[in-house]
Amino acid sequence: MDGAVVTGISPAQLVEAEAAAWLARLYGDEDVRPALDAWLAEDPAHAEAFARANEVWAILPRAARAGEEGAHGVQSPERARLPRAAIAVAASLLLGFGALWWSLGSAGDYATRPGEQKVATLEDGSRIALNTDTRVGVQFDGDRRHIELEKGEAMFEVAHDADRPFVVVAGDTRVQAIGTVFIVRRTADDVIVTLIKGEVAVSHDRQPGGGATGGALMLRPGEKLIEPEDGPIRIEPESVEVATAWRRGQTVFSETPLGSAVTELNRYGGPVIMVDDPRIAALPISGVFATNAADFAEAAATLHGLRVEKEGDTLHIRR
């Protein structure tokens, strides 16, 4: 890029930096498209880096929210323009996330802190997006690709390789895919598998009626399997937009008890939200909210004519 001077980094990192800068410029001015196309055509590595920058952009909550305010949801750079200040911030974030991307390899343990998200590209081309407070272990060998989700939530975009099954293990739940996109969430109470694209086979120690089984359940896109710690396994429809909302820095509720919604928001760090009154905790809440505790608390209180009181690092929603 003309005028760009970057020192002290490797050639590969320089390409990542240029891709991030191109993406940020494209959000601010669609007229740069011809120049961008020329840069992409120079080297296959440029196109690959630009694709990665787009992926990282999708997990930047502030960038996503800014786009939605102007275009009802950013699906591509052409659909929204950001102020110059926002472009500068987004570019710096992309560069930071780009370095984070390079720091993740294809084997070992990877984790996020509350409120943090990361993306890893594995040696086979598969990608893992880790949501808040998540830990995964990756082991590859000649015969299999094995991922263990120790806690949290992750989205898997699996590169096709029929000779090496891609298996995600979460407790007693095993999810096997060859080439597909799916999300696995593991909590203290259950494991939830949501299929976005393709097909997966989910096996476990219990069949839907509660008895033991060695078989597997097949999911179709737009379905989620819920395996609770106690109780029967069930399969329910799930909106892809809802399931992937966290990739856009959002969470979606539909007639959800406020207490449950608060539990979900507290996963993302920041001030802790508390609902002391069981009657308030039972109030339903619906809508699309940013994964920001303070913003959510104020919005929830406004919806129900409540108030938010701050005590130290805790936000109490009260009458």
Side-chain angles (χ1 to χ4, degrees):
M1 291 180 58
D2 294 338
V5 179
V6 184
T7 60
I9 63 174
S10 69
Q13 289 173 316
L14 177 59
V15 171
E16 297 292 317
E18 290 179 340
W22 274 117
L23 182 60
R25 287 181 63 192
L26 190 57
Y27 265 89
D29 183 2
E30 295 179 16
D31 293 339
V32 306
R33 169 61 74 174
L36 168 60
D37 289 341
W39 181 78
L40 293 172
E42 289 178 2
D43 191 318
H46 292 181
E48 294 173 3
F50 189 73
R52 286 193 291 270
N54 268 289
E55 180 70 15
V56 172
W57 182 279
I59 69 171
L60 295 178
R62 191 172 300 277
R65 289 200 299 275
E68 283 156 7
E69 290 173 359
H72 303 294
V74 174
Q75 300 298 325
S76 65
E78 291 83 355
R79 291 186 59 182
R81 294 190 179 187
L82 304 180
R84 288 186 179 274
I87 293 171
V89 172
S92 65
L93 287 171
L94 282 165
L95 291 171
F97 271 75
L100 173 62
W101 194 307
W102 280 102
S103 72
L104 295 176
S106 59
D109 296 324
Y110 311 121
T112 54
R113 298 183 298 271
E116 184 180 30
Q117 294 181 352
K118 293 181 181 178
V119 178
T121 299
L122 306 183
E123 64 182 26
D124 67 334
S126 298
R127 293 188 289 188
I128 305 175
L130 286 74
N131 198 6
T132 177
D133 197 18
T134 295
R135 180 179 296 277
V136 300
V138 178
Q139 291 183 335
F140 278 17
D141 57 35
D143 299 322
R144 67 170 187 166
R145 295 170 291 173
H146 180 89
I147 312 292
E148 182 175 0
L149 178 64
E150 299 177 18
K151 67 172 183 176
E153 182 175 26
M155 180 173 175
F156 303 90
E157 299 178 52
V158 181
H160 180 80
D161 187 344
D163 296 328
R164 288 201 300 172
F166 190 102
V167 177
V168 178
V169 176
D172 295 328
T173 302
R174 294 173 57 86
V175 185
Q176 182 167 326
I178 295 177
T180 187
V181 181
F182 61 98
I183 297 172
V184 183
R185 177 171 174 176
R186 182 180 184 182
T187 71
D189 300 319
D190 52 35
V191 173
I192 302 173
V193 181
T194 304
L195 183 59
I196 306 301
K197 181 174 68 175
E199 190 175 70
V200 295
V202 184
S203 57
H204 30 68
D205 293 337
R206 295 172 294 133
Q207 62 186 7
T213 178
L217 295 174
M218 306 300 296
L219 291 184
R220 294 178 295 181
E223 290 184 335
K224 67 177 178 182
L225 179 145
I226 303 170
E227 182 173 2
E229 182 71 20
D230 297 308
I233 297 165
R234 61 189 189 274
I235 296 177
E236 300 177 352
E238 177 66 296
S239 162
V240 171
E241 289 298 311
V242 171
T244 59
W246 59 272
R247 301 294 310 279
R248 303 183 297 275
Q250 299 173 331
T251 185
V252 182
F253 301 119
S254 178
E255 295 297 304
T256 304
L258 180 56
S260 299
V262 163
T263 298
E264 176 67 16
L265 262 293
N266 283 337
R267 296 174 59 213
Y268 291 88
V272 175
I273 307 173
M274 295 288 293
V275 179
D276 306 305
D277 188 334
R279 293 171 297 178
I280 295 178
L283 293 173
I285 189 165
S286 300
V288 180
F289 302 89
T291 53
N292 177 287
D295 291 348
F296 174 79
E298 291 293 343
T302 299
L303 285 172
H304 289 290
L306 305 171
R307 57 193 172 88
V308 178
E309 294 184 352
K310 185 174 182 180
E311 297 179 0
D313 293 330
T314 303
L315 301 176
H316 294 266
I317 300 179
R318 293 170 174 159
R319 293 192 185 280

